[in-house]
Amino acid sequence: SVNFNGGGDYISIGNSLVDNLNRASVSLWFKADDITTQQYIYSSPDVSSGTNGFDIHIQSGLIRTYVKTAAGSINVNSTQAPVIGDWTHVALVADGTTQKLYINGVFDNSAANDTDSYSIEADAGAAFIGRFGSYGAYFNGEVRDVKVYDNGLTASQVDLLFKGQWIGSPQH
């Protein structure tokens, strides 16, 4: 795992990984040291509007996800708070019609998001672990096993990822 101190450390990936895709997923494990402040765990921003593109973050004690398309930005909030100091598995899935959030291998919440008609807009040219683009919102805790897929994972695939049993290869 990588430990982030919430004060400026992060990982930058020189490719947004999901820009212009119609279907995509990101899966990761995190252990938060704080859940009250806004902190980005994974971010592929949309530079044209300086907004969220394909992101997972914590805000006000909840896990929040964003997926932006030309039709707008859709937010899905978790129905449960992560526990400080406990490892939590989270997966964000855009399957072409629906944006889904899974926590610890189980479906948590969703919203309609037609990424089949409007591709994901995450054109900042980079993805980040531990912050949101140049804005900051640095993560305070540990992150491990970040996997990005160029397809919408199924519920059973997410469950197998959570259990450490799925052998499918991520796109990145």
Side-chain angles (χ1 to χ4, degrees):
S1 69
V2 177
N3 192 353
F4 299 95
N5 65 13
D9 50 353
Y10 64 94
I11 296 170
S12 177
I13 302 161
N15 180 323
S16 70
L17 307 177
V18 298
D19 188 36
N20 290 319
L21 294 179
N22 295 101
R23 297 163 189 239
S25 303
V26 63
S27 162
L28 56 84
W29 286 88
F30 75 91
K31 181 168 55 170
D33 293 336
D34 168 33
I35 61 169
T36 60
T37 60
Q38 183 181 30
Q39 308 170 60
Y40 279 76
I41 304 166
Y42 175 86
S43 171
S44 287
D46 174 47
V47 74
S48 62
S49 60
T51 60
N52 299 90
F54 195 81
D55 310 306
I56 300 171
H57 73 278
I58 297 172
Q59 185 174 354
S60 303
L62 295 176
I63 300 167
R64 299 179 62 143
T65 65
Y66 284 96
V67 176
K68 183 180 184 296
T69 69
S73 185
I74 303 294
N75 168 245
V76 173
N77 293 333
S78 65
T79 61
Q80 57 190 300
V83 177
I84 292 174
D86 283 358
W87 282 105
T88 301
H89 182 262
V90 62
L92 164 59
V93 175
D95 69 4
T97 59
T98 308
Q99 177 178 327
K100 299 174 186 174
L101 172 61
Y102 294 85
I103 299 175
N104 292 329
V106 178
F107 172 79
D108 185 74
N109 203 358
S110 68
N113 196 344
D114 185 7
T115 58
D116 275 344
S117 297
Y118 304 98
S119 64
I120 298 166
E121 292 185 358
D123 61 359
F128 301 93
I129 301 169
R131 81 167 188 176
F132 175 74
S134 60
Y135 172 68
Y138 296 99
F139 183 67
N140 186 6
E142 295 178 64
V143 179
R144 65 181 172 97
D145 299 330
V146 178
K147 299 175 182 176
V148 180
Y149 299 86
D150 62 356
N151 63 314
L153 296 174
T154 66
S156 61
Q157 289 171 326
V158 171
D159 182 53
L160 290 171
L161 278 169
F162 167 69
K163 293 175 180 173
Q165 297 173 346
W166 190 45
I167 58 171
S169 296
Q171 175 72 17
H172 304 284

